[in-house]
Amino acid sequence: MQDLRTWALLTTGLLTAFLLVAVPTSALAEGDGPPDTPCPNGQAWTLQPGGVWACAGSGNDGTKPGNTGGTGGGGATCPSAPDGKCTDDKGRPWLEAYGGPPCYGDSAGPVDAGYTYLGPNGSVTTTEPGYLYTCVAVFPWEFVIPEADAPVVDPVVLANQAVDRLPFAVPEINTAPAAGGRTWVGLETWLWLPDGQMDSLSLTVRAGATSVTVTASPTRVDWDLTEGSTACYSSGREWIRGMSGNEQTDCSYTFSTLSRNQPDGKYPVTATIAYAVTWTCTGACTSTSGDLPEVSSLSSSTAIAVEERQTVVRRHPKTR
Amino acid sequence: MNIRRPLALAAAGIAFTLAAAACNNSNGETPLPAPDTTTSAAPTEEATQEPTQDASPWTEEYTSAEIRMYERALQRFTRYEELAEPIWAEGKATDEAEKLFKDFFFGQASHRQFDQLREWEQIGFQISGTPRVHWSKPSLMGNSNLAIDQCIDSTPLQGSQNGEERPTAKKFLRPHLRTISMIKEEGQPWRIVTVSDGSAQGEEIRRCKI
């Protein structure tokens, strides 16, 4: 009997030990994900700055938008703006509480204290430094936002705006044999663009205290010759009349078929310049530099006929 | 009946229980190294990303004027973190807090800080402590702005919500990068524009070597 009691006690002890090991002392999960226990009141686990979990909001995937501070961060939404976007697709910040209806503001840059501008009720002189804006779509007059209220603009939006304004070259196609003329099957046809068409382009765009400079650097020229295509990593080399047959180029194409079945009996030839784009931000920057996706210039076209060289064989009579 | 074997098993079970209890804190998590230990936090568990930055010497890349600029900016950010810690630890959106954010943050970034603190007050959330900084170095140097990369870990942070402890995601306990962008306009002190530590929505955490 005593043995049975002992066995019962020991078994209970072992089972208890097993349960204590197998069942976590808390339902909070280890690892990178949120805890297992649900949040109360319809809230959801949200990651706070520093990586600490909190129950907040109305349910998301557990991350907060727009971290802007040390042990705290702020949301980057503007509830009164269209679609809640604090910056429009032109990089203009949503501006509120400056004395007029809210709008996306065009920035004219920083101004010092003592700057005079035309407000809704006449001229106004600033008493502190700020940033000059206009809301052209709403009203034509100007206003100055004090530095303490200066918006912080997403530099990527400004960078994209700058790219839209870059004066990309329209490729001027050159071939040898000459385009518009003809080339021959099996003959290396040189392809090139004039000097200067492969230069880098740069532009700076500013909104308030945020200034973004984009640089577009040409990386290659994509040639489409209808029969086939080739990518050249330079502008090519100009063929100059009188060059010897030993001269070489790093950009050429050799046709293998005649063009007589093409419209007008010619192959269309198109060239497009591809650019790699980077940006840097100065001033009030939410990030300091980055890359944008590759951009292509407009394409230009010409046409070239591809013919076959006729070989003439002359029979020489044997001399006796 | 010989009860030695059952006793031995029971003892083993109890010993195992005690050992398991010692290996778990009240949250069921593996205990973290104490803040003052020198244990390396080299990431061995996470196999998703190799550290991309380390504390290699950087001073040769900058002029002495740039280095001074960086040191002043870093000093200013460090001062902010010291002054702000009790504010975030209390979790109350006070006038004092609003003033501090205006002093140290640029433009609307200060409003967003205060909005964050107001939200914490509403949900009863606080964080005490400041991240452990392993190293700092500049990552961008402009004429009036710069960015600072710091390799940090969140082990000193203690989060709580309405009296209940809140855990830190494991990946933040290991060394990761925090980037601080700052601006200095003429006549103004250095001010913080953004601080990115990988916790914001859509942000990736970036590993660093100690």
Side-chain angles (χ1 to χ4, degrees), chain A residues 30-319:
Chain A
E30 296 186 5
D32 294 336
D36 294 332
T37 49
C39 283
N41 305 323
Q43 293 177 316
W45 288 108
T46 305
L47 201 62
Q48 302 297 316
V52 183
W53 290 106
C55 289
S58 55
N60 57 26
D61 63 352
T63 56
K64 278 190 69 67
N67 183 352
T68 59
T71 47
T77 59
C78 297
S80 64
D83 297 325
K85 292 181 181 176
C86 293
T87 309
D88 71 357
D89 57 3
K90 291 182 169 52
R92 297 179 298 192
W94 184 251
L95 303 172
E96 299 178 337
Y98 54 79
C103 69
Y104 289 114
D106 280 308
S107 169
V111 295
D112 295 324
Y115 177 82
T116 300
Y117 61 94
L118 184 64
N121 299 315
S123 65
V124 179
T125 300
T126 61
T127 57
E128 57 183 321
Y131 295 91
L132 183 68
Y133 283 92
T134 57
C135 286
V136 177
V138 178
F139 43 79
W141 40 264
E142 300 169 318
F143 56 94
V144 172
I145 292 185
E147 274 185 349
D149 293 328
V152 179
V153 178
D154 183 351
V156 174
V157 177
L158 287 183
N160 279 299
Q161 185 192 3
V163 167
D164 289 344
R165 290 161 55 180
L166 281 173
F168 291 106
V170 178
E172 291 178 30
I173 293 176
N174 289 271
T175 66
R182 59 186 178 177
T183 187
W184 286 271
V185 167
L187 178 69
E188 185 188 31
T189 303
W190 285 28
L191 310 169
W192 75 92
L193 303 181
D195 285 342
Q197 290 223 305
M198 293 284 280
D199 291 343
S200 290
L201 305 169
S202 190
L203 184 71
T204 298
V205 172
R206 182 167 56 194
T210 307
S211 182
V212 170
T213 300
V214 293
T215 302
S217 304
T219 56
R220 71 177 187 278
V221 183
D222 292 322
W223 294 88
D224 181 356
L225 299 111
T226 307
E227 180 200 76
S229 62
T230 188
C232 296
Y233 296 92
S234 75
S235 59
R237 185 183 178 196
E238 182 182 5
W239 183 84
I240 300 171
R241 186 180 291 277
M243 273 181 166
S244 78
N246 295 327
E247 297 287 352
Q248 294 185 335
T249 178
D250 61 357
C251 187
S252 65
Y253 184 82
T254 303
F255 287 92
S256 57
T257 57
L258 303 174
S259 62
R260 59 189 172 199
N261 294 328
Q262 294 294 312
D264 298 331
K266 295 179 179 178
Y267 283 126
V269 176
T270 303
T272 312
I273 305 172
Y275 294 83
V277 184
T278 59
W279 60 266
T280 56
C281 182
T282 54
C285 300
T286 56
S287 44
T288 53
S289 62
D291 299 330
L292 293 181
E294 183 181 85
V295 172
S296 294
S297 69
L298 292 174
S299 299
S300 59
S301 294
T302 187
I304 193 166
V306 181
E307 299 177 0
E308 195 166 40
R309 271 186 164 149
Q310 299 292 324
T311 303
V312 176
V313 178
R314 286 186 179 166
R315 195 181 293 279
H316 290 278
K318 287 183 182 176
T319 55

Side-chain angles (χ1 to χ4, degrees), chain B residues 166-179:
Chain B
R166 288 291 184 241
T168 302
K170 203 173 176 183
K171 58 186 175 183
F172 288 88
L173 300 174
R174 295 189 287 268
H176 59 280
L177 276 180
R178 173 171 74 177
T179 299

Side-chain angles (χ1 to χ4, degrees), chain A residues 3 7, chain B residues 1-7:
Chain A
D3 287 342
W7 269 109
Chain B
M1 181 174 178
N2 190 337
I3 64 167
R4 283 183 191 159
R5 188 180 300 168
L7 276 175

